[in-house]
Amino acid sequence: MATDLEDIEAKLRGCGFFWRAPEEFIGALANVVKVMPYPAGKEVFCKGEPGDAMYIVAEGKVEVHDGEAIMCVLGAGEVFGELGALIGEARTASVRTTTECVLYHLCKDDLYETLDAHGEAYRSVIAGMCHRGRGMAADARDQLIKVRVFQHELDIGREIQAGFLPESLPQLQGWNIASHFQAAREVAGDFYDVFPLESTGHVALLIGDVCGKGVGAALFMTLFRSLLRANLLSSMVKHPEELLAQSVTATNAYIATTHGKSSMFASVFAALVEPVSGGVLYVNGGHEPPIVAAGTEIRRLDITGPALGLFKEACYEVRCDQLAPADLLFTYTDGVPEAMDPEKNQFGEERLLKLLPGVPDAAGAIAQVMSALSDFAGTAEQHDDITMLALQRAQ
Amino acid sequence: MSSTLHIAVAEEKGSKPVTVLHLRGDLDASTQPELEEKAGGLIDGGAVYLLIDLAEIGYMGSAGLRALHSIANKLPETGQLKLLRPSESVGKVFKTLGFDSYFDIHIDFDEAVQSF
């Protein structure tokens, strides 16, 4: 027994929190702490629970977390939950063991009784708290610097990524084109593009949505968009239907073969518009079917193949549509119908379909949808990128 | 709040030994690693014919599809991944993305097991 007590005393003495505490106080504490063995992966306490004790790590490691992010890892000689023991404050974070642990549990009453019996020890606990406060401030400063560096890198990423979207939309005689792009995070997985194809006289229209979010989706967005653009612009094929089918098939096969292990995919709608006749050739690779508003009539350009990037043998059928004067082609990503209000209801396709008939032009269509989305979402934060690309044949 | 996914594994004897993963919960970005890890472990342990039962999946997003593709990729050349009983909403995700014809999807359990 004596050996156990000596062991506890030695561990308490090695604890930074009690570094200036008198010997008698440490000896008395050793008698009141409860030695508690813990298996790995066990929650010691959870954020928000009432705090009435502190813990000293005698052996093993614990992590302090808030349910998602791990704030720090503590090892032997470190303490946690001291605010609970000193002022009875509710737990400000959760703590769980990451290895098998031995923790010393010191409840509030025992701590204060021992402190009262060894008045001079109050100074050491105050010193311990100050020491710990200083350490936490330094940690917070380090974290802040890391966050700033990371933020700076993301800002650079965002600027570079913006270069993968058209700086301006081409002016096309007899047509009006408008777009809206709103990233949910610093970098986005959505993309769109509009550019003339000198080889065939068509205008190429692209809109896509890479699965997932954040940096991974953003990297693949640049890949999908660049491959589609490069394939369409550099192909020797002059026949528009063949050019479109080949560009989409080659983009899909390249990503499915070269990056198949990432299992990343993108839904893509790619169209070639013939500006004089209003003829539209399109491939829809698993994308939200674009809407054609022709007067009060609505039709959709349904999928003609799977989303790109997963199945290297996938085939993409090219279909045709025809835009008459005043017809509107409205393309969008799922961030539009899946926009949420504060109660987490989705905006939905029905609302979108009702908005489009009768809009004056492409810019008007986008303004109309934006305004309806903003009224619907209110203060709710959106978790997905929102992209729209609209094109209208003039009257 | 992060979602939860329960995975129960069973071995079935059809004409070939089939490893069935019965899933319950949501298959999204937060549970995707769990499924991939579990299936990866089974494949490393020699499972070749996998049947994933989606009947009790409430929500499946793009991350779930990535997980299924990644599992299919981990299988040996001779291996096969088949899917069972997607709910209407999960089936719609497959259809919207045009993936329904690229995964072997079954409605009947016995038929699915015998199909390997």
Side-chain angles (χ1 to χ4, degrees), chain A residues 13-352:
Chain A
R13 216 173 287 119
C15 173
F17 192 74
F18 299 118
W19 66 302
R20 283 182 178 165
E23 286 295 318
E24 312 80 61
F25 174 69
I26 295 285
L29 271 191
N31 277 298
V32 294
V33 296
K34 222 186 303 170
V35 179
M36 301 178 72
Y38 275 83
K42 176 133 177 98
E43 295 288 341
V44 181
F45 56 68
C46 292
K47 187 175 174 175
E49 284 178 6
D52 57 359
M54 65 184 284
Y55 294 82
I56 299 113
V57 184
E59 287 167 30
K61 283 192 181 349
V62 300
E63 60 190 13
V64 183
H65 66 98
D66 69 352
E68 286 176 6
I70 293 160
M71 291 179 253
C72 64
V73 175
L74 303 174
E78 294 185 278
V79 305
F80 59 91
E82 68 281 6
L83 289 178
L86 289 167
I87 55 173
E89 194 175 280
R91 301 304 187 188
T92 54
S94 304
V95 178
R96 76 174 152 245
T97 58
T98 56
T99 64
E100 276 188 23
C101 281
V102 176
L103 304 179
Y104 296 161
H105 173 274
L106 175 57
C107 74
K108 188 178 173 190
D109 291 347
D110 286 342
L111 173 63
Y112 276 112
E113 270 174 31
T114 316
L115 277 170
D116 287 343
H118 302 83
E120 72 281 21
Y122 271 106
R123 282 169 181 256
S124 72
V125 169
I126 291 167
M129 280 301 287
C130 293
H131 191 63
R132 194 164 159 74
R134 203 162 48 207
M136 281 162 73
D139 285 351
R141 199 168 49 237
D142 289 350
Q143 289 296 334
L144 189 62
I145 290 168
K146 277 187 198 156
V147 167
R148 281 191 184 148
V149 169
F150 183 62
Q151 186 61 49
H152 181 61
E153 291 295 320
L154 270 183
D155 287 344
I156 294 172
R158 181 174 45 208
E159 274 173 40
I160 293 174
Q161 198 186 25
F164 284 83
L165 296 170
E167 207 169 306
S168 62
L169 296 171
Q171 298 289 320
L172 193 60
Q173 181 80 35
W175 295 80
N176 59 82
I177 310 173
S179 65
H180 174 83
F181 177 83
Q182 181 183 321
R185 297 194 190 172
E186 276 82 352
V187 287
D190 278 8
F191 64 93
Y192 71 98
D193 208 350
V194 187
F195 52 93
L197 284 181
E198 278 170 20
S199 61
T200 68
H202 288 73
V203 171
L205 225 77
L206 301 174
I207 186 164
D209 180 357
V210 178
C211 64
K213 292 184 177 63
V215 174
L219 287 171
F220 272 85
M221 167 273 195
T222 61
L223 182 62
F224 276 104
R225 179 269 188 187
S226 299
L227 282 173
L228 284 165
R229 185 181 242 263
N231 281 325
L232 282 165
L233 286 172
S234 66
S235 172
M236 302 304 281
V237 177
K238 293 276 188 287
H239 189 267
E241 196 172 327
E242 209 179 305
L243 169 67
L244 181 58
Q246 202 188 66
S247 299
V248 174
T249 307
T251 301
N252 170 66
Y254 177 86
I255 295 174
T257 310
T258 316
H259 300 284
K261 276 199 177 142
S262 309
S263 296
M264 289 293 277
F265 62 87
S267 70
V268 172
F269 174 80
L272 300 185
V273 179
E274 210 292 301
V276 180
S277 67
V280 178
L281 295 169
Y282 69 91
V283 165
N284 183 344
H287 194 76
E288 298 280 334
I291 301 164
V292 176
T296 54
E297 298 288 306
I298 288 279
R299 60 177 183 272
R300 310 293 297 268
L301 306 184
D302 281 327
I303 68 162
T304 67
L308 281 65
L310 295 189
F311 307 103
K312 57 177 183 277
E313 71 285 9
C315 292
Y316 294 89
E317 187 196 337
V318 176
R319 284 192 201 148
C320 309
D321 196 83
Q322 178 68 39
L323 298 179
D327 284 1
L328 175 86
L329 170 61
F330 183 85
T331 70
Y332 59 96
T333 57
D334 60 5
V336 175
E338 290 173 11
M340 290 199 191
D341 70 7
E343 280 80 47
K344 302 222 178 285
N345 300 304
Q346 293 195 347
F347 184 72
E349 260 190 4
E350 290 300 313
R351 278 194 183 83
L352 180 61

